[in-house]
Amino acid sequence: MDTGDASRCRFPGARRATAVAILIALGTGPVAAQDRPAPARAAPRPAPAAGAPADPAFEAMKAGFEALPEADRKALQDALVWTGDFNAVVSGAFGRRTFEALNAYGARAGGADPLDPRGRAALLAAGAAARNAARFRAAVDPGTGAVMGVPERLLAKRTALPSGTRWQSQDGRVTLESRAFPPGAESLDALFEKATAPLPGRKVTYKLRRPDTVVVTAETGPGLSYIRYASGPEGVRGFLLGYDRALAPEVDRLVIAVANAFVPFPDPAAVPAAQLPSGPGPATRAANPAPQPQAAAPLRPASLSPAPATGAGLAVAPGRVLTAAAVLEGCAQPRVGATPARVLATDPAGLALLDVPGAPAPLRPAIRTEPVGAEESVIALAPGPDGVQAAPGEARGGDVIAALQPGSGGAPVLDRSGVLVGLVARYPAAPRRVAGVVPPARLPIVPARAITAFLAAQGVAPAPPPPGGGPGAVAPAVVGITCR
């Protein structure tokens, strides 16, 4: 497919998606205080006139947001992309769009504050659940050397190209292609001219030319095309994305996520060796390359520092915490926070119930009765240095495959609707690490049916379902367990 011939290769797209994709290109420069806007939305609101009273709600939320570390701010914006509330650049900067997105999410979550510790954990878990549902993977593309984010559930077909990679949906209505040109082979000016050249049946709706970036979107009959290129010492790298406009409700946020994840020239020192293409350039990649998925960094499932907890537990009744028995092996004095815990009961399935006076508000999530499907998307919630962390994963037989970090034994595993699938039964004492992070690994789980039987035997009555539902509603009941 010729670079400038997006209209002939069925790169359809949705009307709103044209604009939401454009906004990501605007993130290549400094970010304005109002967030980088999505052109699909209305024009940005005018700044308040001089002397106009400040908006107390806006200023209060801004202060709370900007008090967080940059990584946490970006993580929240990324989660809001996946919840469908934010269609701007994930930059960590606070503006009107971040304010409106946080308010929209908070309203759906029953008025919860998305910036307090529990609210943040719930928001991150909700975003991770949506990201995991799309099986979104950000990894180095062996065809180009760029980091590409790909929704693998939708774009299940992958083909190696001479200078990149093509991902497509099964019906061909969504296509993503990466491209790489060695130094001197193509210039941004030439690519820009090809992408904006008049063609029958195509209308260019947006074009951006910067010294190191090109973005062009166009209507192409039934849909829309989006092209982005970036230049650097290693040449030019970019991607083309398109989809049928009828798929806009499903694909709009995927467009934003793909563009936000794109890193044309990643720092090799920051990428695990297994992620790097072999040889000096795209042409030397191995046959049938398969990018290894990275942990979803914006969602913080893979902290670079070990979690302080020995394991995880779930508050299921007043003063009662459920965990995996393996967490307590060799643990003479378990504690939840600063509170000593006492083992009330264990069972052969690998479960334990702790007496923890003053434990967090209990939550007895619905327990799944039907079997988990092969490779079904799930999410684990585990304590971490900065609160509860969400780890997207897949069910595989009686196990879960996820990038869980140390301290995740006993972590609840839920399906996308927030129904409990099981608990992580055991976590390895010395997990394998790549660049200081534990990559996705296969871990056994105690199944839901065993949990149901154990809690019933201990007289633990079901608690009311959490408001709002979903995995994020379970996060406030997840606790860390330490041993002395």
Side-chain angles (χ1 to χ4, degrees), residues 234-339:
E234 298 171 67
V236 176
R237 295 175 182 175
F239 65 88
L240 300 85
L241 175 64
Y243 53 96
D244 193 298
R245 70 175 67 242
L247 301 178
E250 174 188 358
V251 184
D252 274 355
R253 62 184 172 184
L254 299 181
V255 176
I256 303 173
V258 169
N260 267 317
F262 178 62
V263 182
F265 305 99
D267 180 1
V271 180
Q275 299 269 343
L276 296 174
S278 58
T284 63
R285 66 190 186 279
N288 301 318
Q292 300 298 312
Q294 288 178 286
L299 300 175
R300 309 283 306 266
S303 173
L304 293 178
S305 59
T310 302
L314 181 66
V316 293
R320 299 292 184 264
V321 171
L322 177 70
T323 188
V327 171
L328 306 175
E329 292 177 356
C331 183
Q333 298 179 354
R335 304 176 73 89
V336 173
T339 305

Side-chain angles (χ1 to χ4, degrees), residues 104 154 281 387 439:
L154 177 64

Side-chain angles (χ1 to χ4, degrees), residues 312 321-329 343 345-353 409-411 422-427 444-447 449-451 454:
V321 171
L322 177 70
T323 188
V327 171
L328 306 175
E329 292 177 356
V343 179
T346 60
D347 81 337
L351 296 168
L353 188 65
L423 297 184
V424 175
R426 183 179 294 274
Y427 193 87
I445 62 174
V446 181
R449 63 180 181 275
I451 296 172
F454 179 63

Side-chain angles (χ1 to χ4, degrees), residues 32-479:
Q34 295 298 317
D35 297 326
R36 286 296 183 184
R41 301 275 184 95
R45 300 180 183 182
D55 181 346
F58 180 91
E59 296 301 326
M61 184 173 286
K62 179 180 180 181
F65 186 82
E66 293 183 343
L68 299 172
E70 181 182 10
D72 290 351
R73 301 196 303 269
K74 289 182 176 180
L76 290 175
Q77 288 178 331
D78 183 78
L80 289 167
V81 168
W82 286 100
T83 61
D85 297 300
F86 187 63
N87 67 340
V89 178
V90 173
S91 64
F94 187 86
R96 180 60 58 177
R97 293 184 185 279
T98 299
F99 174 71
E100 293 174 348
L102 287 168
N103 279 328
Y105 170 80
R108 288 202 318 280
D113 182 357
L115 293 183
D116 69 23
R118 291 189 178 182
R120 293 202 307 271
L123 172 53
L124 292 176
R131 182 186 181 104
N132 190 51
R135 293 180 61 184
F136 191 83
R137 302 288 186 267
V140 172
D141 168 29
T144 62
V147 171
M148 295 290 300
V150 181
E152 295 178 348
R153 184 174 298 280
L154 177 64
L155 303 181
K157 296 166 61 177
R158 184 168 65 89
T159 306
L161 302 176
S163 60
T165 305
R166 176 186 296 140
W167 295 269
Q168 278 189 308
S169 59
Q170 293 292 349
D171 59 8
R173 296 171 70 191
V174 185
T175 301
L176 170 65
E177 288 190 8
S178 63
R179 298 286 182 82
F181 303 95
E186 280 282 9
S187 68
L188 284 183
D189 286 333
L191 292 169
F192 184 73
E193 290 301 321
K194 291 179 182 179
T196 57
L199 289 174
R202 186 182 71 171
K203 176 185 178 183
V204 174
T205 55
Y206 180 86
K207 54 186 178 181
L208 170 73
R209 174 67 175 94
R210 286 184 172 170
D212 59 353
T213 305
V214 160
V215 174
V216 176
T217 67
E219 296 178 357
T220 55
L224 207 138
S225 63
Y226 168 64
I227 301 173
R228 176 175 175 179
Y229 287 108
S231 63
E234 298 171 67
V236 176
R237 295 175 182 175
F239 65 88
L240 300 85
L241 175 64
Y243 53 96
D244 193 298
R245 70 175 67 242
L247 301 178
E250 174 188 358
V251 184
D252 274 355
R253 62 184 172 184
L254 299 181
V255 176
I256 303 173
V258 169
N260 267 317
F262 178 62
V263 182
F265 305 99
D267 180 1
V271 180
Q275 299 269 343
L276 296 174
S278 58
T284 63
R285 66 190 186 279
N288 301 318
Q292 300 298 312
Q294 288 178 286
L299 300 175
R300 309 283 306 266
S303 173
L304 293 178
S305 59
T310 302
L314 181 66
V316 293
R320 299 292 184 264
V321 171
L322 177 70
T323 188
V327 171
L328 306 175
E329 292 177 356
C331 183
Q333 298 179 354
R335 304 176 73 89
V336 173
T339 305
R342 179 171 60 91
V343 179
L344 292 177
T346 60
D347 81 337
L351 296 168
L353 188 65
L354 301 178
D355 174 33
V356 186
L363 184 145
R364 178 82 180 272
I367 298 179
R368 183 160 170 151
T369 55
E370 67 273 16
V372 180
E375 300 187 12
E376 183 172 344
S377 297
V378 294
I379 184 167
L381 301 178
D386 303 313
V388 176
Q389 310 293 301
E394 293 179 353
R396 191 72 59 85
D399 302 333
V400 62
I401 298 177
L404 285 162
Q405 304 305 298
S408 298
V413 180
L414 308 111
D415 66 15
R416 291 179 308 213
S417 62
V419 176
L420 187 65
V421 170
L423 297 184
V424 175
R426 183 179 294 274
Y427 193 87
R432 182 177 70 90
R433 296 177 183 269
V434 177
V437 175
V438 179
R442 186 165 183 160
L443 301 169
I445 62 174
V446 181
R449 63 180 181 275
I451 296 172
T452 300
F454 179 63
L455 292 180
Q458 301 308 314
V460 177
V474 182
V478 176
V479 299

